[in-house]
Amino acid sequence: MSFVRFDPATLNHEEIARRRHRLVAFVLLIAGPAILTMADLHWRTGYDGWKVAHLLLFIVLFGLVALGAGQTVVGFFLRLRAGDPCRITASVNPGEAGEAVSARTAVVMPICNEEVGRVIEGVRVMYESLLRSGKLANFDFFLLSDSNDPNRWIEEETAWLALTQRLGAQGRIFYRKRSGGINKKSGNLADFCRRWGKHYVYMVVLDADSIMTGDAIGRLAQLMDRNPQVGIIQGVPVLVNGETILARLQQFASRLYGPVSAAGLNYWQLNGANYWGHNAIIRLAPFIRHCSLPELPGDGPFGGRIMSHDYVEAALMRRAGWDVWLATEMDGNYEECPGNLIEFAQRDRRWLQGNLQHARLIAAKGFHATNRMHFVLGILAYASSPLWLAFLVVSAVISYRFGSTDVTVEPLPSFADYVRWSYQTQAVCLFLFTLGMLFLPKAIALLDLRRRREEVAAFGGWGDVCGGVFLETLVFTLLAPVLMLFHTTFIVLTICRRKISWGLQRRGRAGESVLAETVAAHWGHTIIGTLGAVIVTRIDPTLALWMSPILAGLVFSIPLSFLTGSLSLGGALRREGIFKTPEESQPSPELIELGAALADRQSVPRLPELEANYGLLQAVLDPFVNAAHVSLLHAKDELPVASEERFMGLRETLLRKGPEALSAQDRLALLKDADSMALLHHELWSSPAAKLARWWQLALQHYNVIAPAPETAFSPKDEAANVVT
């Protein structure tokens, strides 16, 4: 089939409006019969306040289900005819993929207390992939650190230096440690834009767990070159490297259902797509000019600094007249996912308050209707949980009131008269139709896969695919009510002005469940599920049967959460070929290289007594690390006498009593002061051992045992290379 180039600049408002009107009409066509049936069921028994609330909740919840189903159906038919003709990836001929990119592009990775080995190996793999593709000349890499853990901070510095030495990438891979973490990731990117933005045309934004091939990074830059009216292009990353059951479930489901859903999403978004904060490319000049984040009036949870910056930046870019596109059907774009249910929920809690803040922006002046819809859907992604819980509670109340009054359904005039439905038949049909809409995206994805025989084989064959779909559906059905209660709790805490934690996310290959943590997180869910089962069974055994998947998920939440976060069970399923994805059966060279590098990494042997402050140990004790660390600190003007006296006292306490005698804040203050770090290194090596704290004596003994130079993941493996002259 010949290639037909798409020019996004020729897209007119009439075509955009037609597409959105068609989708709305299709969603109404799906949702309308279900809503009318529910309304008629209540009409036949007489309306009251409970039934009005029940119908309103049903309209919202089923509307979201219908939108997902309708979007998937549209995506299927687009892929059936060789893809949407209006997609940004069709603006560049695949035959032009090897062409060099002329514009200067920065590949930036904001990090905060991440696992350093994974970060550095990921950067190395992407750098070497760009080198192999012949497109490296105009790309630079930036590690932008907000880490406040001294161990991570020093490990980042030494690993970065080792990486640049290994690759000969001095002046190509940069490291920047901010002194303060103002505004989290968005503030980190803003700091980069202020300092280096004028030197680059584009910025590829990555997360710490992102991996992109050199071809994928180069293609994003080519798409920007070809479309000068585009401000942001968001890639669609594929989940990889999952080892627990939950991680493998997520990557299997996203890989199977994602392409069809993304095609449907692009159908109505077009040039009004969203930005997800990572695995995307941004045109820096308009981003710097127009996308500075405002501070919302008032305090939290809905005021203050904007926490979820990406949706807002996309809206600001569109308001300034620039296009934002979703790059569907582009290979080589990967990320990782949480390994257990608690980490999954913790990640959602970090996002939840930011999405709720967007309620203040829905009616903001100048935003496009599509961006307002993104804000609404982002809020409903979490607000649907308390709405679902309310729907279940109201359903139980209506059933109780219906049974306690011994109401007999009278054959009142209704549209059911035309099809001669009984009340029970009508209710069952509505239930089955709802289930059908919930499972329709899965069926559509299987139909789409049926046309792609090579992908069927990459998934392990039809037996593995169908078995995977069945298990994935079963597990997520049971986990859905647990997430419902998590999200409901988070929303209540947010509204009550309880602080949202933006702590460290354990990424990638780690993330195995811990039993004590699992019990602490889910004991309340178990009690709620057990009480709910008893109450609903007494109200109406039939209602209890219908709610049994929900109640079972809550009652068995502890074993479900613990087992789905198991590395050993995840490995067993992988060996059996269950939840296999094409990225596992046919991995790209970059994924193979990353996996091999992480498997070969050897950590430096450390004594338990030194572990808690090992970063401080390296920065003070090791000549190479100390010199590198001091060179990266900002030179300061002469300190006031009081400040100098304070630092003198801190240095004395550190050397004579050990790091535990100082607070974490004081240890960080010393690490940030160049003069103190240089003086500490000199005083440590020139002081008699008897005058040093026992901790430092142990550190010196340990240092002499392991090596006179810091060992990193990139240290030479052969013995000759380790000889010090």
Side-chain angles (χ1 to χ4, degrees):
M1 184 178 294
S2 61
F3 174 77
V4 179
R5 189 187 302 278
F6 167 60
D7 183 359
T10 63
L11 193 64
N12 57 65
H13 294 292
E14 290 76 15
E15 173 61 20
I16 296 173
R18 276 195 299 271
R19 285 184 167 222
R20 292 170 184 168
H21 292 159
R22 288 171 192 154
L23 182 65
V24 170
F26 187 44
V27 170
L28 290 176
L29 185 65
I30 296 172
I35 293 171
L36 288 175
T37 302
M38 178 62 79
D40 190 67
L41 282 169
H42 289 320
W43 174 263
R44 298 177 73 172
T45 57
Y47 270 97
D48 57 20
W50 290 102
K51 292 176 182 177
V52 170
H54 191 259
L55 178 61
L56 292 176
L57 290 168
F58 182 81
I59 290 172
V60 175
L61 294 172
F62 197 89
L64 293 173
V65 172
L67 176 60
Q71 192 170 274
T72 304
V73 171
V74 170
F76 170 72
F77 283 106
L78 288 172
R79 286 167 63 83
L80 198 61
R81 62 175 195 174
D84 191 342
C86 299
R87 63 187 192 278
I88 191 69
T89 48
S91 63
V92 173
N93 193 320
E96 302 169 345
E99 294 182 1
V101 178
S102 58
R104 296 284 293 163
T105 303
V107 181
V108 302
M109 181 182 285
I111 56 177
C112 181
N113 298 329
E114 306 287 351
E115 202 284 304
V116 178
R118 168 63 181 84
V119 169
I120 292 296
E121 292 291 0
V123 171
R124 179 187 64 80
V125 167
M126 289 185 281
Y127 183 94
E128 293 184 330
S129 181
L130 269 171
L131 180 63
R132 289 193 299 268
S133 71
K135 300 174 183 175
L136 180 63
N138 287 303
F139 288 87
D140 291 332
F141 284 75
F142 288 81
L143 284 168
L144 308 176
S145 175
D146 269 345
S147 299
N148 55 13
D149 180 343
N151 292 334
R152 297 294 193 198
W153 179 7
I154 303 304
E155 193 177 356
E156 288 166 4
E157 290 181 345
T158 56
W160 162 69
L161 286 167
L163 176 65
T164 56
Q165 290 174 346
R166 175 178 178 177
L167 298 178
Q170 292 84 354
R172 303 303 303 274
I173 302 177
F174 301 92
Y175 174 82
R176 154 82 170 155
K177 168 69 174 71
R178 283 204 298 169
S179 58
I182 298 174
N183 227 14
K184 307 298 179 181
K185 180 179 178 179
S186 61
N188 205 348
L189 291 175
D191 179 78
F192 166 81
C193 290
R194 285 191 297 270
R195 294 175 180 276
W196 293 287
K198 64 183 179 181
H199 301 297
Y200 298 93
V201 180
Y202 310 134
M203 171 176 68
V204 176
V205 182
L206 302 174
D207 260 358
D209 58 3
S210 298
I211 283 289
M212 296 185 74
T213 65
D215 288 337
I217 296 173
R219 191 175 184 196
L220 284 177
Q222 281 183 317
L223 291 171
M224 292 295 266
D225 274 347
R226 185 60 56 86
N227 301 286
Q229 80 286 357
V230 175
I232 301 175
I233 299 176
Q234 173 64 61
V236 184
V238 174
L239 299 180
V240 295
N241 292 337
E243 294 189 351
T244 66
I245 292 178
L246 183 64
R248 292 181 55 74
L249 274 169
Q250 293 176 76
Q251 67 185 32
F252 173 81
S254 89
R255 184 62 175 83
L256 182 59
Y257 313 138
V260 182
S261 179
L265 188 62
N266 180 72
Y267 175 80
W268 66 270
Q269 286 187 160
L270 294 173
N271 62 354
N274 217 347
Y275 167 45
W276 301 339
H278 58 90
N279 293 58
I281 189 167
I282 296 173
R283 194 178 299 272
L284 273 167
F287 184 78
I288 293 170
R289 180 184 293 270
H290 301 294
C291 296
S292 178
L293 296 175
E295 186 163 330
L296 299 177
D299 299 326
F302 302 110
R305 291 193 175 97
I306 293 175
M307 299 178 72
S308 289
H309 58 95
D310 36 19
Y311 281 35
V312 183
E313 287 161 346
L316 292 170
M317 187 71 82
R318 285 290 295 129
R319 187 171 71 173
W322 294 84
D323 290 355
V324 179
W325 281 88
L326 185 67
T328 60
E329 301 181 23
M330 192 183 78
D331 297 328
N333 186 4
Y334 312 107
E335 66 171 333
E336 295 169 358
C337 58
N340 64 66
L341 189 61
I342 296 174
E343 290 181 12
F344 189 95
Q346 287 173 341
R347 183 191 66 178
D348 279 356
R349 184 171 184 180
R350 285 193 295 270
W351 293 346
L352 180 142
Q353 183 174 344
N355 280 32
L356 294 183
Q357 278 183 318
H358 296 164
R360 300 284 297 272
L361 301 172
I362 292 173
K365 184 178 180 181
F367 285 154
H368 286 251
T370 311
N371 295 109
R372 300 186 199 278
M373 179 58 66
H374 289 316
F375 291 146
V376 171
L377 292 176
I379 293 169
L380 286 175
Y382 297 104
S384 59
S385 288
L387 293 179
W388 183 24
L389 179 60
F391 180 80
L392 295 174
V393 171
V394 173
S395 298
V397 170
I398 291 174
S399 181
Y400 171 75
R401 296 175 78 242
F402 188 86
S404 64
T405 56
D406 295 324
V407 174
T408 301
V409 179
E410 297 291 338
L412 297 176
S414 71
F415 78 82
D417 293 342
Y418 296 99
V419 291
R420 299 192 180 280
W421 277 352
S422 68
Y423 183 86
Q424 290 74 18
T425 301
Q426 194 175 352
V428 169
C429 287
L430 177 59
F431 176 73
L432 294 176
F433 183 71
T434 303
L435 284 182
M437 290 301 101
L438 288 170
F439 294 124
L440 180 62
K442 300 177 188 294
I444 291 292
L446 291 175
L447 285 175
D448 181 74
L449 182 65
R450 186 172 178 270
R451 302 181 304 106
R452 305 169 189 274
R453 295 182 179 178
E454 69 284 353
E455 284 195 27
V456 174
F459 274 104
W462 276 113
D464 287 340
V465 170
C466 294
V469 170
F470 173 77
L471 286 176
E472 174 267 328
T473 301
L474 176 63
V475 173
F476 277 130
T477 298
L478 295 172
L479 293 181
V482 181
L483 289 172
M484 172 189 70
L485 290 186
F486 267 133
H487 292 163
T488 302
T489 303
F490 296 160
I491 288 176
V492 171
L493 292 176
T494 301
I495 293 175
C496 293
R497 299 177 181 272
R498 292 280 296 274
K499 184 178 180 181
I500 297 294
S501 172
W502 288 69
L504 174 63
Q505 177 181 337
R506 290 182 290 175
R507 302 179 188 265
R509 297 167 183 266
E512 185 169 21
S513 295
V514 178
L515 183 58
E517 185 181 62
T518 304
V519 173
H522 295 296
W523 67 267
H525 302 154
T526 303
I527 293 174
I528 291 172
T530 304
L531 291 175
V534 172
I535 293 171
V536 174
T537 301
R538 290 188 175 183
I539 291 174
D540 185 351
T542 303
L543 180 64
L545 182 63
W546 285 22
M547 289 188 175
S548 58
I550 297 170
L551 297 171
L554 295 175
V555 171
F556 298 106
S557 57
I558 292 175
L560 275 170
S561 179
F562 182 74
L563 292 175
T564 55
S566 169
L567 285 172
S568 59
L569 291 178
L573 290 181
R574 181 171 187 169
R575 289 189 293 273
E576 294 296 324
I578 300 175
F579 303 135
K580 182 185 292 185
T581 64
E583 286 66 39
E584 287 181 338
S585 56
Q586 300 171 355
S588 66
E590 290 78 8
L591 292 178
I592 295 173
E593 192 174 351
L594 176 64
L598 294 177
D600 289 343
R601 272 185 59 83
Q602 296 180 354
S603 60
V604 177
R606 300 176 182 177
L607 295 178
E609 298 91 331
L610 305 177
E611 182 70 26
N613 293 287
Y614 201 83
L616 182 63
L617 180 155
Q618 287 183 290
V620 174
L621 180 58
D622 189 281
F624 172 79
V625 178
N626 179 265
H629 180 69
V630 171
S631 71
L632 292 171
L633 293 173
H634 298 289
K636 295 182 178 179
D637 297 331
E638 186 175 349
L639 290 174
V641 175
S643 296
E644 180 53 46
E645 290 178 351
R646 172 175 176 263
F647 277 117
M648 186 183 302
L650 293 177
R651 294 194 297 268
E652 182 73 14
T653 300
L654 177 64
L655 292 177
R656 307 308 172 209
K657 298 182 179 180
E660 294 300 330
L662 297 177
S663 67
Q665 184 177 359
D666 287 338
R667 292 195 295 268
L668 273 175
L670 285 173
L671 279 170
K672 292 177 181 179
D673 184 64
D675 291 338
S676 289
M677 295 308 298
L679 288 170
L680 279 169
H681 179 71
H682 178 267
E683 291 173 16
L684 179 65
W685 281 106
S686 60
S687 296
K691 292 187 177 182
L692 297 175
R694 173 60 183 162
W695 192 90
W696 285 110
Q697 295 177 29
L698 191 63
L700 286 164
Q701 295 172 10
H702 175 72
Y703 178 79
N704 290 329
V705 167
I706 58 171
E711 183 181 347
T712 72
F714 310 107
S715 298
K717 303 294 183 186
D718 57 288
E719 293 297 326
N722 284 316
V723 175
V724 178
T725 59

